[in-house]
């Protein structure tokens, strides 16, 4: 199970406002969907959430109501209300004026960018490219955002705001070690900025420099109190306290940390050997690989739950670090090997999708790679789909941490079923192409349409038929 602790989701939310009133879709199975806009389209009900459009069969809808505010679930990432308002420093206060020149009808005007580059000052040119990069960043198009930020830094390499965004993008796409020098330069340029210190802390924490992150966040909080950063600081302090006496050992692709003699040398050697073998398997199966060594932390007691604050039903976590409870184990059992491969798969999926993979696809692919079969739960899931009691896919895009144990079982089963369906009726190559489309900035539905030619509504309908044919009576 992977908590979507994407450290720089912080910056995706940084400039967004509070939740707007929504339309509420009440489903016959008792669930509700909150949407920005809802409309009927023949046999389906279509609804918008941000830039994404989803669809569900009209037969599954009990009623639609206007108004209401979506609930904010307790999850691994800070809620929007926990994120402070970002106050840009003086060097980007004319952003609105430049934005009006660069952004036309919601699109970036490259001719305007070129004109500013040829005629204006270096600082305004940097700002123009920054505006373009920030626009693409907010849309999740990280490849284009990075090219614009690169151009911005060529013209103003010491602008702390541009450096902050560039560092956040690098962490967001799985390149935390590369982000560190940019975050450090931002602090050098604006040492009294709570924001530059906060970003440096995020980069340090993502790069497995927990003690340094604690110091950066403490300095940031001294300048400006902030609930979200306080939460991250408390998490880092729990981790540092739990691992104060841990020993460290490295292999080709992993940095293993463990508590003294609580595990045997033979067990640790076997565990690292298993991870290295699974790493090679995943390189062959998925292509590509995570950058840098992956931290693996072994917990032998209650420290796993103390540090992660994970629900009782979780067995392990990958939040950029593989956190594995091994209490009572003296060898790598087949079950532990599957857990290790599952958690390691998340690191590969994050790299391939540039950190943009929805949770259901993350969990579905990771389970399939264990490998895990749906055979024991297939019939029950087919019955739930027939009764329209499944969880809609748009409700499975974010962390499963908010679910009860029963809901989590259903969420994982649906995720595996969706991946199994795509693999059986299309191909493994399509799963890889979906991840590539996500990395390029496509929304989940756009990535699905361009590969398996289905939106969420069609996928749910087709999955129901697939389950009925494969596991029904």
């Amino acid at each position: 199970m992977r908590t979507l602790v994407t450290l720089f989701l912080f910056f995706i939310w940084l400039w967004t406002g509070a939740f707007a009133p929504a339309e509420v879709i009440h489903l016959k199975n008792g669930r509700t969907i909150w949407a920005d806009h809802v409309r009927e389209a023949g046999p389906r009900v279509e609804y918008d959430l941000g830039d994404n459009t989803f669809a569900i069969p009209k037969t599954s809808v009990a009623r639609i109501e206007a108004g209401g505010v979506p609930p904010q679930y307790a999850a691994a990432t800070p809620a929007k209300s926990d994120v402070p308002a970002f106050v840009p420093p003086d060097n980007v206060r004319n952003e609105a004026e430049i934005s009006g020149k660069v952004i036309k009808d919601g699109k970036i005007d490259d001719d305007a960018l070129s004109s500013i580059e040829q005629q204006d000052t270096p600082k305004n040119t940097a700002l123009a490219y920054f505006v373009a990069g920030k626009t693409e960043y907010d849309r999740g198009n990280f490849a284009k955002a990075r090219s614009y930020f690169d151009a911005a830094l060529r013209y103003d390499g010491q602008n702390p705001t541009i450096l902050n965004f560039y560092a956040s993008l690098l962490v967001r796409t799985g390149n935390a070690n590369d982000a560190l020098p940019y975050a450090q330069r931002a602090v050098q340029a604006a040492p009294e900025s709570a924001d530059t210190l906060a970003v440096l802390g995020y980069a340090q924490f993502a790069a497995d420099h927990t003690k340094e992150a604690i110091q950066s966040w403490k300095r940031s909080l001294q300048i400006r109190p902030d609930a979200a950063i306080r939460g991250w600081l408390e998490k880092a302090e729990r981790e540092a306290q739990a691992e104060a006496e841990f020993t460290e050992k490295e292999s080709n692709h992993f940095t293993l940390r463990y508590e003294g003699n609580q595990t045997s040398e033979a067990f640790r050697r076997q565990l690292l050997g298993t991870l290295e073998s699974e790493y090679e398997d995943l390189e062959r199966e998925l292509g590509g690989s995570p950058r840098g060594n992956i931290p693996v932390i072994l917990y032998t007691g209650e420290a796993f739950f103390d540090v992660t604050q994970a629900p009782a039903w979780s067995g392990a976590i990958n939040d950029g670090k593989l956190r594995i409870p091994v209490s009572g184990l003296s060898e790598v059992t087949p079950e532990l090997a599957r857990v290790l491969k599952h958690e390691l798969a998340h690191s590969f999926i994050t790299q391939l999708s540039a950190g943009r993979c929805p949770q259901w696809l993350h969990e579905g692919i990771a389970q399939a790679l264990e490998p895990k079969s749906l055979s024991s739960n297939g019939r029950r899931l087919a019955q739930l789909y027939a009764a329209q009691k499944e969880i809609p896919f748009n409700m499975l895009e974010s962390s499963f941490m908010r679910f009860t144990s029963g809901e989590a079982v259903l969420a994982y089963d649906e995720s595996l079923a969706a991946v199994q369906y795509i693999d059986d009726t299309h191909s493994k190559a399509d799963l890889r192409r979906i991840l590539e489309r996500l990395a390029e900035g496509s929304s989940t539905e756009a990535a699905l349409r361009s590969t398996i030619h289905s939106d969420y509504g069609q996928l749910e309908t087709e999955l129901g038929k697939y389950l009925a044919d494969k596991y029904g009576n």
Side-chain angles (χ1 to χ4, degrees), residues 372-400:
K372 183 178 180 181
S373 170
L374 191 66
S375 57
S376 60
N377 293 336
R379 183 176 180 183
R380 182 185 66 88
L381 189 59
Q383 292 170 341
L384 288 171
Y385 264 80
Q388 297 183 345
K389 292 184 178 180
E390 75 279 4
I391 305 174
F393 276 107
N394 74 295
M395 295 179 69
L396 298 177
E397 287 212 327
S398 59
S399 172
F400 291 178

Side-chain angles (χ1 to χ4, degrees), residues 168-205:
S168 76
L169 183 148
L170 290 172
V171 176
R172 182 71 173 87
T173 53
N175 301 288
N177 285 313
D178 294 339
L180 278 173
Y182 294 95
Q184 289 163 347
R185 279 166 55 188
V187 170
Q188 290 169 359
E192 298 304 316
S193 166
D195 296 296
T196 59
L197 288 164
V199 171
L200 177 59
Y202 282 111
Q204 290 166 329
F205 191 67

Side-chain angles (χ1 to χ4, degrees), residues 218-263:
K218 283 183 175 179
R219 289 171 59 195
S220 176
L221 290 168
Q222 287 172 352
I223 297 169
R224 185 187 65 210
D226 179 88
I229 296 171
R230 171 62 63 184
W232 283 109
L233 173 60
E234 290 172 355
K235 175 182 173 61
E237 287 177 330
R238 289 195 303 271
E239 179 176 317
Q241 181 177 358
E243 300 172 20
E245 304 299 325
F246 275 29
T247 304
E248 190 169 286
K249 181 176 182 178
E250 290 196 359
S251 66
N252 288 340
H253 300 105
F254 302 94
T255 300
L256 180 68
R257 290 206 290 274
Y258 53 93
E259 185 178 0
N261 296 320
Q262 296 298 309
T263 55

Side-chain angles (χ1 to χ4, degrees), residues 280-407:
E280 293 177 3
D281 288 345
L282 290 169
E283 277 189 311
R284 288 191 296 268
E285 293 176 283
L286 292 175
S289 59
R291 293 183 174 88
N293 269 25
I294 300 171
V296 180
I297 307 168
L298 304 184
Y299 299 100
T300 54
E302 291 300 317
F304 171 76
F305 292 102
D306 292 341
V307 170
T308 63
Q309 304 289 289
W313 52 259
S314 63
I317 280 179
N318 181 340
D319 58 4
K321 305 172 186 180
L322 274 60
R323 303 180 186 274
I324 313 294
V326 293
S327 182
L329 293 175
S330 59
E331 63 179 355
V332 177
T333 63
E335 177 59 29
L336 177 57
R338 286 194 294 272
V339 169
L340 293 172
K341 191 166 188 179
H342 179 114
E343 299 306 332
L344 181 56
H346 286 306
S347 295
F348 280 78
I349 296 164
T350 295
Q351 190 70 46
L352 290 169
S353 65
R356 303 189 68 253
C357 186
Q359 188 80 348
W360 67 266
L361 186 57
H362 244 300
E363 296 299 348
I365 294 175
Q367 288 179 92
L369 289 167
E370 292 182 31
K372 183 178 180 181
S373 170
L374 191 66
S375 57
S376 60
N377 293 336
R379 183 176 180 183
R380 182 185 66 88
L381 189 59
Q383 292 170 341
L384 288 171
Y385 264 80
Q388 297 183 345
K389 292 184 178 180
E390 75 279 4
I391 305 174
F393 276 107
N394 74 295
M395 295 179 69
L396 298 177
E397 287 212 327
S398 59
S399 172
F400 291 178
M401 293 277 281
R402 67 187 185 274
F403 291 145
T404 64
S405 58
E407 290 172 330

Side-chain angles (χ1 to χ4, degrees), residues 447-462:
L448 291 172
R449 283 194 294 264
S450 67
T451 51
I452 64 171
H453 312 295
S454 295
D455 57 24
Y456 268 160
Q458 292 168 312
L459 176 60
E460 287 168 351
T461 299
E462 291 163 4

